[in-house]
Amino acid sequence: MNKPINFMAGPQCPIPISDYPHILLAHGGGGRLTQMLIERMFVPAFANTTLETLHDGALLPINGARVAFSTDSFVISPRVFPGGDIGSLAVHGTVNDLAMCGAQPLALAAGFILEEGLPMEELWRYVQSMQHAASNVGVPIVTGDTKVVDRGKGDGIYINTTGIGLIPAGIHVAPTRAQPGDLILVSGAIAVHGIAIMSVREGLMFETTLASDSAPLHELVAQALAVGGEHVHVLRDPTRGGVASTLNEIAQAANLGLRLDEAKIPVWDDVRGACEILGLDPLYVANEGKCLVIVARQAAEAVLAALQAHPLGREAALIGEVVADHPGRVVLRTRIGGQRIVDMLTGEQLPRIC
């Protein structure tokens, strides 16, 4: 007689259940718990060589071409914020993930999770915002899906966007390509998006309106790649978890150290002041319109100039270097001349910021 199948048997859950028996907000914060969830649960379960690179998107060879394929979901609160809304953010976020693979976007798909009771006029605003953002990028939204959940079972609207893009010949960017001696560039002032969101939530007032930096980065990246080419080794957009968590991911993937100079990291005075009021470190605050570029030393000056020549990169700066020392760690030289380790974000510093 056949024995009944026990669907609960098999490999045990790799996440320490005794420590985290339930999902926490911090599992979505882009820091250490997010990394744990991805690397110990999702990667082993879906194991394949493409996934294991842990890039901003998958790189797929198709008929002699290299295609970048990426997906992202947006749950931001509030849904409308200075400088954008959930619709434009959904387009920019996936376009930027493709750009961080070195790709030019070709097409997007959109999935909508709608809560019963969402005003139709509000939905129309986000649809129009997505179309406007996609049109500005020059990328069509070619397919999608819609689901509706019961009233009280969602938060108005969540949006998923998936995109494909084409990687030009000769462009190879990945965290593992970082090398000792490479220099680290950032395309502009950091922590603007996260503080713009928090200013709305907390009612903070600034001398000028602080707007999110949400923007499509594909043209900025293309400009940098045009002069840097194969010397551009790594591209990343420091969204959830900010610059600190993103650089920790790169350091661990490359098994190299990263050294930053705090005095060279651009932070607006309003943003720095808001961070002090809220008890936040700008290095861990999310960005939606900035990128990190790790480039060979001999090409760094030209790539920096290319970034600064673009409207979205006028404040681009050289902020550090890749070193063989302290592999897997990020070390910051402080303004007063000391040093401190910049670790990966452990908790959830700013929930629902993208």
Side-chain angles (χ1 to χ4, degrees):
M1 181 176 177
N2 293 331
K3 294 183 178 180
I5 298 173
N6 181 2
F7 289 101
M8 298 302 293
Q12 297 298 306
C13 177
I15 301 294
I17 296 297
S18 59
D19 294 337
Y20 302 104
H22 304 288
I23 289 292
L24 306 176
L25 274 175
H27 282 107
R32 190 174 302 283
L33 292 189
T34 301
Q35 184 184 49
M36 179 186 296
L37 191 66
I38 293 170
E39 294 186 355
R40 298 190 189 180
M41 182 174 285
F42 298 140
V43 171
F46 306 136
N48 61 77
T49 55
T50 301
L51 177 64
E52 288 165 3
T53 61
L54 296 180
H55 208 338
D56 276 317
L59 309 183
L60 306 174
I62 300 176
N63 294 332
R66 290 183 303 142
V67 172
F69 177 46
S70 186
T71 191
D72 206 345
S73 299
F74 298 86
V75 299
I76 190 166
S77 176
R79 296 188 289 269
V80 179
F81 48 86
D85 57 39
I86 192 173
S88 59
L89 183 66
V91 171
H92 295 161
T94 295
V95 165
N96 291 347
D97 282 345
L98 295 173
M100 297 308 112
C101 298
Q104 286 294 300
L106 295 178
L108 298 177
F112 297 88
I113 308 297
L114 309 176
E115 183 184 9
E116 180 187 16
L118 177 72
M120 198 68 74
E121 185 176 349
E122 185 179 358
L123 174 60
W124 178 241
R125 170 186 176 144
Y126 304 141
V127 170
Q128 289 291 96
S129 179
M130 290 182 73
Q131 172 54 27
H132 181 70
S135 178
N136 284 344
V137 173
V139 56
I141 298 172
V142 297
T143 189
D145 181 56
T146 304
K147 295 292 188 294
V148 177
V149 299
D150 295 340
R151 190 185 300 266
K153 298 296 179 65
D155 189 25
I157 178 172
Y158 301 142
I159 301 176
N160 171 271
T161 44
T162 298
I164 58 171
L166 189 63
I167 303 172
I171 300 301
H172 299 275
V173 294
T176 53
R177 290 202 67 218
Q179 301 173 18
D182 286 356
L183 299 182
I184 306 169
L185 313 178
V186 66
S187 65
I190 67 169
V192 178
H193 174 75
I195 294 303
I197 300 303
M198 290 302 293
S199 70
V200 176
R201 292 184 192 169
E202 302 297 329
L204 298 180
M205 301 297 293
F206 300 98
E207 291 183 2
T208 58
T209 300
L210 185 63
S212 167
D213 62 352
S214 177
L217 298 175
H218 62 299
E219 291 182 349
L220 174 72
V221 168
Q223 206 158 291
L225 291 173
V227 300
E230 64 180 9
H231 295 300
V232 176
H233 293 158
V234 185
L235 292 165
R236 289 294 300 271
D237 55 338
T239 53
R240 295 177 304 163
V243 167
S245 293
T246 300
L247 289 178
N248 268 278
E249 291 173 359
I250 295 170
Q252 292 168 21
N255 196 30
L256 292 168
L258 303 182
R259 183 179 296 142
L260 305 179
D261 187 336
E262 185 179 27
K264 294 181 178 179
I265 300 173
V267 183
W268 292 346
D269 289 342
D270 280 352
V271 170
R272 191 185 306 279
C275 285
E276 291 175 358
I277 292 171
L278 297 169
L280 304 175
D281 184 336
L283 286 171
Y284 293 94
V285 177
N287 311 269
E288 288 293 345
K290 301 298 187 299
C291 65
L292 295 163
V293 184
I294 297 183
V295 58
R297 187 176 294 269
Q298 63 265 36
E301 185 176 349
V303 171
L304 180 59
L307 292 173
Q308 292 172 338
H310 191 279
L312 295 177
R314 289 172 182 156
E315 296 178 282
L318 166 62
I319 63 171
E321 63 180 329
V322 181
V323 297
D325 300 337
H326 50 81
R329 288 191 176 275
V330 180
V331 172
L332 178 77
R333 184 169 59 209
T334 67
R335 293 177 181 274
I336 61 175
Q339 285 194 348
R340 69 178 176 93
I341 293 175
V342 178
D343 206 350
M344 183 168 282
L345 182 66
T346 300
E348 172 64 279
Q349 186 171 226
L350 297 177
R352 305 285 301 282
I353 45 74
C354 65

